[in-house]
Amino acid sequence: MNQQGDNKVSNKTNSISFNEVCEARFSRRGFVKAGFATTAALATSQLIGCGSDGSSKVQVTENKWREENPYKSRYDFKEIEHGGDEYHHVAPDHEAAILIRWGDALFKDSPEFDPNTQTAKSQLKQFGYNNDYIGYLKLEPMRGQQARALLCVNHEYAIPGLMFPGFPEDGFKNITKEQVQITQAAVGNSIVEVGLKDGEWSVNTRSKYNRRISALDTEIEITGPVRGSSRMKTSSDKRGKTVVGTLNNCAGGMTPWGTYLTCEENFNDHFLGEVADNHPEAENHDRYNVGTNYTNWGLHDQRFDVTKEPNEPNRFGWVVEIDPLDPESTPKKRTALGRFKHEGGECIVAKSGQLVVYMGDDQRFEYLYKFVSKDKVNLDSPRANRDLLDEGTLYVAKFLEDGYLEWMPLVHDNGPLQAAFDSQADILIEARRAADLLGATPLDRPEDVVPNKHNGKVYAMLTNNTKRQDPNPANPRTENYFGHIIEISELDGDFASNTGYWDILVKCGNPQVPSHQADWNTETSKNGWFASPDNAVVDPDGRLWVTTDQGGKAFMSGTNDGLWALETDGALRGTGKMFFRVPNGAEMCGPIFSDDGETLFLAVQHPGDHGRIGEVRVETATTRWPDFNENMPPRPSIVTIRKRNGGKVG
Ligand code: FEO
Ligand code: CA
Ligand code: CA
Ligand code: CA
């Protein structure tokens, strides 16, 4: 989401003020660059990683190639140009095809999509709205197929003005009960089986795996330390152990045992009203901006009215684990991973065998977290990892001015936390306040955080922060309109380590405009730079790809959002290259590659969007992509990209 909800900064703690910052920073930076070859080789030799296929293997080929070819690009495509129009654009020699659109059938009995006669019941049988994260789970191909997989797709949030033709301006103030239920049904997740035949991907509506999970009617179990907490109890769940629905599912991750992590981000936008200042949850609600109420669900669904259900907001803002191979399974909110505005949850197995999940809290001046499981991942038996995410340690990051990084455990006996909280459950519910007390580093809106098993690094997308007035080394610009990317190297290449070091990979914006203070490799072309990095993916060959979400700031870059390749190693480190561009109004989400690297799946979110959520209209949408039919609203859709003559994408 383009974060209309974070205009109000809710972190009132003083961000750390650094002295002598730049000097220390740049000497460190010089060292890191000079030491590149050694550190990369060291990290790789000690590293065990896990792919989306669940494989665990030491990958050394890529870095050997890089060491032998320090000046060559890792990418082989002709880049496209910055710009903006109603259409999508992909690099030459690649074919982009629409795989599935909002409203398309997921089941053999799904009703045909008709924007004028939508019901919640029909939406629950159709692909949801605003596709964001895409997870790829490989299946054995059926006869005649080249490939087969389950796509695990997030549907982040609804936009009534772009969903309902004729929806009045500020119509959400008087939104009907049926419209509320349609929007609740349209968010959550889709699990959908897809197959590749004769070079084309299609949806199998007869698959036993296809499933819709929504905010309307899916029962979800609360597991881990917060299960049963008095602060999770509501009038409909007196035990605090189950919750209906998941929402604002932004990015996510796939575990090495084949489950799907879907992350609840701007949950606060769904809550109406506020509790009295002396209410025990008042401070907590304030810290999470509860009550922004962009959806007005509380008008017809009392659990989203905090004056009636003050604990309901505590039941959102979690990471949810879903088993896509068991459509009857109950999804689980894994509370050990903390409650905040989770962007994503990308996983990697540390050399100890423990699972590490990297997570950003996407709001201005919020923090970067990682979870390290107590037990080891069992790659031989997926079922053995069933409750692995219920026990472990949640850490928050402190970026030190000398380029070092400290991961501080959010555990009850750690320093000030014992006196400030009654229990570990309270720490996890109010992870932000706990992180404040430990002096975590407030960042410029952390989005995806992606480990790369091929070079041992972790890439954190910091999308922007126009409110920053006090720069520091990890957030080096005031009024940061364009965002930056931080590269983390865990100590000894150990992802479970509680120390590491960091560097800035790129400072986004136009390197030709001095006021942007952008920093790219000078090989970057006039189309190769970008602004507001959001999602990222490492492809099967270890190459990094970054998507953007500029929101209302696209006019500053002169280009619609898109997907860029970004060199991370060798002499071209920090060189961007534009691969795909979305139609007007859209945001680029969900990049994921098939395991062979021959297909790239992309999520085009909110095409045609043109303003604040209460103002946008189907009738004035800036594109009718992908149907270009005046009777059809623009439709968020998943796009597949393959190379025309075969081979790896990009
Ligand atoms: Fe939903 Fe942080 O983007
Ligand atoms: Ca989004
Ligand atoms: Ca975003
Ligand atoms: Ca995002």
Side-chain angles (χ1 to χ4, degrees):
M1 185 181 190
N2 48 31
Q3 285 293 321
Q4 297 162 97
D6 82 341
N7 286 331
K8 190 174 132 202
V9 172
S10 64
N11 189 351
K12 305 288 194 318
T13 53
N14 290 326
S15 55
I16 306 153
S17 167
F18 294 100
N19 292 326
E20 304 163 293
V21 289
C22 292
E23 216 173 307
R25 180 80 216 109
F26 287 115
S27 61
R28 175 72 201 158
R29 194 175 163 84
F31 168 77
V32 169
K33 284 197 165 165
F36 150 73
T38 337
T39 47
L42 181 70
T44 309
S45 66
Q46 297 172 328
L47 173 73
I48 298 174
C50 268
S52 60
D53 57 352
S55 64
S56 171
K57 47 199 168 214
V58 177
Q59 297 273 339
V60 291
T61 7
E62 185 250 333
N63 278 301
K64 273 202 183 119
W65 181 90
R66 175 48 83 202
E67 281 162 31
E68 287 161 10
N69 301 279
Y71 302 106
K72 272 195 190 155
S73 172
R74 296 285 329 267
Y75 305 90
D76 181 22
F77 66 89
K78 192 166 178 284
E79 80 176 330
I80 61 167
E81 293 186 349
H82 281 189
D85 57 31
E86 295 178 50
Y87 308 98
H88 65 258
H89 299 266
V90 67
D93 305 322
H94 291 78
E95 192 85 58
I98 309 296
L99 176 65
I100 188 168
R101 304 162 295 186
W102 164 53
D104 278 345
L106 277 185
F107 306 96
K108 52 185 188 290
D109 61 344
S110 298
E112 195 175 337
F113 180 63
D114 178 349
N116 297 304
T117 60
Q118 296 179 59
T119 64
K121 201 171 156 217
S122 59
Q123 179 63 79
L124 288 174
K125 297 239 168 201
Q126 297 163 334
F127 192 64
Y129 196 74
N130 263 350
N131 34 216
D132 199 310
Y133 175 79
I134 308 170
Y136 182 92
L137 186 67
K138 186 186 174 181
L139 299 177
E140 272 307 302
M142 293 196 287
R143 196 141 45 104
Q145 285 183 326
Q146 297 156 267
R148 178 172 166 240
L150 295 184
L151 298 186
C152 304
V153 182
N154 286 358
H155 300 292
E156 190 183 19
Y157 67 108
I159 307 177
L162 281 182
M163 293 172 69
F164 305 119
F167 196 74
E169 182 130 356
D170 277 332
F172 78 104
K173 285 182 187 155
N174 305 306
I175 193 166
T176 67
K177 186 171 183 181
E178 177 69 6
Q179 285 168 332
V180 164
Q181 291 183 340
I182 292 167
T183 57
Q184 290 178 333
V187 300
N189 320 80
S190 293
I191 313 288
V192 53
E193 184 184 322
V194 294
L196 178 68
K197 206 175 169 184
D198 302 326
E200 269 182 45
W201 286 93
S202 62
V203 169
N204 176 7
T205 55
R206 295 177 172 273
S207 170
K208 65 176 180 186
Y209 299 115
N210 290 1
R211 183 177 187 184
R212 271 305 317 279
I213 289 162
S214 77
L216 180 67
D217 71 346
T218 309
E219 185 163 295
I220 300 187
E221 196 181 336
I222 297 161
T223 72
V226 179
R227 178 179 170 85
S229 155
S230 60
R231 299 175 69 184
M232 299 294 271
K233 294 176 181 170
T234 64
S235 53
S236 66
D237 174 24
K238 301 217 161 36
R239 302 179 316 143
K241 292 180 178 173
T242 54
V243 53
V244 174
T246 178
L247 48 80
N248 252 105
N249 307 79
C250 189
M254 297 297 287
T255 66
W257 55 93
T259 60
Y260 159 35
L261 303 183
T262 178
C263 300
E264 298 180 331
E265 197 194 35
N266 299 310
F267 63 93
N268 57 308
D269 288 348
H270 302 281
F271 290 93
L272 164 73
E274 57 182 326
V275 295
D277 286 350
N278 61 356
H279 189 281
E281 295 295 339
E283 191 190 344
N284 169 28
H285 287 182
D286 216 35
R287 188 67 184 80
Y288 289 82
N289 274 353
V290 166
T292 38
N293 191 35
Y294 282 114
T295 59
N296 220 9
W297 286 357
L299 190 64
H300 299 292
D301 189 348
Q302 145 166 334
R303 72 191 179 109
F304 292 102
D305 178 344
V306 297
T307 64
K308 304 209 170 87
E309 292 291 354
N311 282 347
E312 193 70 21
N314 290 343
R315 293 145 64 84
F316 294 92
W318 302 102
V319 173
V320 185
E321 185 179 15
I322 298 168
D323 182 356
L325 291 173
D326 180 2
E328 301 299 318
S329 60
T330 303
K332 297 186 165 87
K333 298 208 178 187
R334 298 295 189 186
T335 62
L337 279 69
R339 173 173 166 268
F340 43 91
K341 295 188 190 175
H342 284 276
E343 171 73 20
E346 296 279 354
C347 304
I348 194 153
V349 179
K351 57 186 175 183
S352 60
Q354 293 161 287
L355 189 79
V356 181
V357 187
Y358 287 94
M359 302 176 287
D361 181 355
D362 180 10
Q363 191 176 324
R364 296 178 176 114
F365 303 107
E366 294 303 336
Y367 307 125
L368 199 70
Y369 297 81
K370 78 174 175 186
F371 171 82
V372 181
S373 68
K374 175 172 156 280
D375 294 327
K376 292 176 185 181
V377 178
N378 184 336
L379 291 169
D380 301 320
S381 162
R383 286 183 65 80
N385 307 303
R386 202 168 44 190
D387 297 318
L388 192 94
L389 293 173
D390 283 340
E391 279 188 273
T393 306
L394 180 66
Y395 295 87
V396 66
K398 184 179 206 162
F399 290 80
L400 302 170
E401 66 263 39
D402 53 8
Y404 285 91
L405 174 69
E406 189 186 340
W407 291 104
M408 302 178 293
L410 296 171
V411 293
H412 200 209
D413 61 2
N414 185 7
L417 302 188
Q418 190 145 31
F421 292 92
D422 290 339
S423 66
Q424 185 63 25
D426 290 329
I427 289 175
L428 294 166
I429 291 170
E430 296 183 76
R432 284 181 169 183
R433 182 162 69 93
D436 296 342
L437 290 166
L438 295 184
T441 304
L443 297 164
D444 290 346
R445 289 186 53 198
E447 301 251 27
D448 257 355
V449 189
V450 181
N452 183 348
K453 67 180 179 182
H454 299 259
N455 67 0
K457 305 293 169 77
V458 182
Y459 298 96
M461 308 298 124
L462 301 178
T463 195
N464 56 56
N465 180 358
T466 52
K467 295 261 161 73
R468 180 170 292 282
Q469 294 304 327
D470 56 335
N472 61 52
N475 305 276
R477 287 181 289 188
T478 51
E479 294 174 12
N480 179 7
Y481 281 94
F482 305 106
H484 55 286
I485 299 176
I486 289 182
E487 180 188 71
I488 292 169
S489 307
E490 303 281 26
L491 192 69
D492 295 333
D494 175 7
F495 293 104
S497 174
N498 55 15
T499 52
Y501 55 92
W502 62 272
D503 193 15
I504 290 180
L505 176 58
V506 289
K507 285 195 277 178
C508 303
N510 187 345
Q512 304 303 324
V513 177
S515 65
H516 287 194
Q517 299 173 56
D519 190 7
W520 295 86
N521 190 303
T522 52
E523 293 298 311
T524 303
S525 81
K526 67 182 198 301
N527 301 303
W529 62 269
F530 54 79
S532 298
D534 188 335
N535 298 134
V537 67
V538 173
D539 74 16
D541 289 322
R543 305 178 303 173
L544 185 65
W545 301 79
V546 178
T547 75
T548 62
D549 170 17
Q550 302 165 98
K553 291 188 280 296
F555 71 94
M556 295 180 74
S557 68
T559 186
N560 283 356
D561 284 322
L563 176 78
W564 279 259
L566 181 59
E567 303 270 4
T568 54
D569 300 290
L572 291 174
R573 174 182 161 84
T575 307
K577 200 173 166 186
M578 191 175 196
F579 183 78
F580 186 87
R581 201 173 89 203
V582 296
N584 290 340
E587 165 185 349
M588 179 90 282
C589 301
I592 194 86
F593 287 83
S594 57
D595 58 305
D596 59 7
E598 295 192 358
T599 302
L600 166 62
F601 298 87
L602 292 173
V604 175
Q605 198 188 56
H606 56 80
D609 196 3
H610 53 290
R612 294 186 68 81
I613 201 159
E615 299 164 356
V616 291
R617 296 285 152 271
V618 172
E619 292 68 28
T620 48
T622 49
T623 180
R624 293 296 179 104
W625 186 93
D627 303 302
F628 298 102
N629 174 341
E630 63 178 27
N631 298 314
M632 194 58 82
R635 294 207 269 175
S637 305
I638 290 185
V639 174
T640 59
I641 293 171
R642 290 176 55 81
K643 217 163 176 186
R644 282 230 167 82
N645 297 319
K648 289 183 178 176
V649 170

